[in-house]
Amino acid sequence: MNDGQELRVGIAVLGTIGKALAKAIDAGIPGVRLAAVAARNQAAAEDWLASLRHSPPVVSFDAMAELCDVVVECAPAALLGDIAAPVLKAGKTIIVLSCGALLEKQELVELARVHGGHIHVPTGALLGLDAVIAAAEGHIRSVRMITRKPVRGLLGAPYLAEHGIDIDAIEEPLRIFSGTAREAATGFPANLNVAVALSLAGVGPDDTHLEIWADPALTRNTHSIVVDSDAARLEMTIENIPSENPKTGRITAQSVVALLRKFGAPLRMGT
Ligand SMILES: NC(=O)C1=CN([C@@H]2O[C@H](COP(=O)(O)OP(=O)(O)OC[C@H]3O[C@@H](n4cnc5c(N)ncnc54)[C@H](OP(=O)(O)O)[C@@H]3O)[C@@H](O)[C@H]2O)C=CC1
Ligand SMILES: O=C([O-])CC(=O)C(=O)O
């Protein structure tokens, strides 16, 4: 925090989630200020930001770590290390949406530990992480998730090309993947962050089982989870309305807004 105890937030980068977040912060979250934004096309970003009430500077990832207390990573997964490392080296907090990439970047957790920084994975497009985290304080016997997505929410995933799976013209639901959250993170880096978030909250990426279905009749990204533990059995489903990016549910940005609001709130709900 700076002297005024105002939380200075940075957004990296200005895609679908980034823009929704920038608008929400600009509209007003008590105690929170949009202090900087990173984007690869500086001129386009400055153009877009000019419509905000308070337009922040467009800066590099390194400068963002200096200017902000908290940085929200909402970029392609391949950029996670470049965005997070300077933030963590500065002992600050990074909110990570491309959490699938964290599995291959465990050194970031060590950086956070050494420098007193924090990595926060929000609930994002999922539900129930609070209950899964609580269940993990006891013994979880199994975690299973079934994801069903419209075809356009899955197109472009490397797993499809690697396995010669063509979903363009399917007319019936097709199971395209069955495996662990870790395998899904590699095969679907832009589509299944939620499975990795669930795994990190619960029993880890190698013991969290996942099926992915492409369903041409669906309009929503749907995740159904069953957790069996010695404290509770959880059964939960979320049907996400896609944003402008068909891979990304609208609720994802709202999850981060809710988290930022919590940082400054006298009454904080949830685990
Ligand atoms: N944890 C969760 O629950 C969820 C996580 N996600 C993840 O959040 C991340 C962001 O999602 P979303 O906002 O929908 O993604 P978008 O595709 O809408 O935005 C990505 C942005 O990244 C920019 N970009 C691409 N390459 C570079 C680069 N080399 N340097 C700087 N910027 C670059 C693009 O810029 P340009 O406009 O110039 O092309 C674009 O603006 C993704 O990794 C997604 O998988 C999404 C949903 C849920
Ligand atoms: O997992 C993701 O990255 C996104 C997702 O499924 C959703 O928005 O429903």
Side-chain angles (χ1 to χ4, degrees):
M1 292 260 192
N2 58 0
D3 287 347
Q5 292 301 296
E6 193 178 40
L7 192 73
R8 297 166 304 172
V9 174
I11 297 177
V13 296
L14 213 49
T16 307
I17 295 172
K19 284 179 177 167
L21 274 178
K23 281 187 197 162
I25 298 171
D26 193 58
I29 299 178
V32 172
R33 176 165 67 86
L34 182 56
V37 158
R40 72 174 153 185
N41 184 334
Q42 177 153 358
E46 283 169 351
D47 246 23
W48 187 87
L49 290 165
S51 66
L52 299 184
R53 290 186 308 159
H54 305 287
S55 184
V58 180
V59 302
S60 67
F61 297 148
D62 284 348
M64 179 169 277
E66 292 302 312
L67 292 170
C68 300
D69 305 301
V70 173
V71 170
V72 183
E73 176 281 323
C74 44
L79 296 181
L80 175 63
D82 293 343
I83 295 168
V87 176
L88 296 171
K89 280 184 189 154
K92 294 178 174 174
T93 295
I94 181 116
I95 296 174
V96 171
L97 284 166
S98 305
C99 57
L102 269 180
L103 300 184
E104 294 294 318
K105 290 258 167 235
Q106 281 299 293
E107 66 272 18
L108 293 175
V109 180
E110 184 57 14
L111 262 190
R113 197 187 63 71
V114 168
H115 297 279
H118 295 279
I119 302 171
H120 200 121
V121 177
T123 303
L126 205 57
L127 79 171
L129 287 194
D130 50 356
V132 179
I133 293 164
E137 292 292 337
H139 176 64
I140 295 181
R141 286 184 281 266
S142 65
V143 180
R144 311 192 76 81
M145 177 161 133
I146 299 180
T147 287
R148 297 175 193 276
K149 289 200 178 198
V151 169
R152 62 197 211 106
L154 290 161
L155 289 176
Y159 186 91
L160 298 176
E162 279 157 22
H163 292 79
I165 303 171
D166 183 2
I167 56 172
D168 272 318
I170 57 169
E171 290 180 358
E172 298 290 329
L174 179 69
R175 192 180 77 174
I176 57 174
F177 173 87
S178 175
T180 66
R182 187 185 296 281
E183 290 160 352
T186 314
F188 299 86
N191 316 78
L192 262 305
N193 291 289
V194 283
V196 174
L198 175 66
S199 77
L200 294 175
V203 293
D206 298 312
D207 291 314
T208 301
H209 295 278
L210 175 71
E211 281 183 20
I212 306 174
W213 290 71
D215 187 340
L218 268 191
T219 55
R220 298 184 178 193
N221 295 325
T222 303
H223 307 292
S224 298
I225 300 166
V226 178
V227 177
D228 185 32
S229 86
D230 62 357
R233 176 181 159 83
L234 318 178
E235 274 198 41
M236 36 197 188
T237 295
I238 187 166
E239 295 178 9
N240 285 324
I241 299 173
S243 60
E244 288 142 45
N245 177 354
K247 300 183 182 77
T248 292
R250 281 187 201 173
I251 203 165
T252 315
Q254 289 178 214
S255 166
V256 179
V257 172
L259 175 60
L260 292 174
R261 206 178 286 285
K262 198 160 149 179
F263 277 122
L267 171 63
R268 299 177 183 184
M269 302 303 295
T271 306

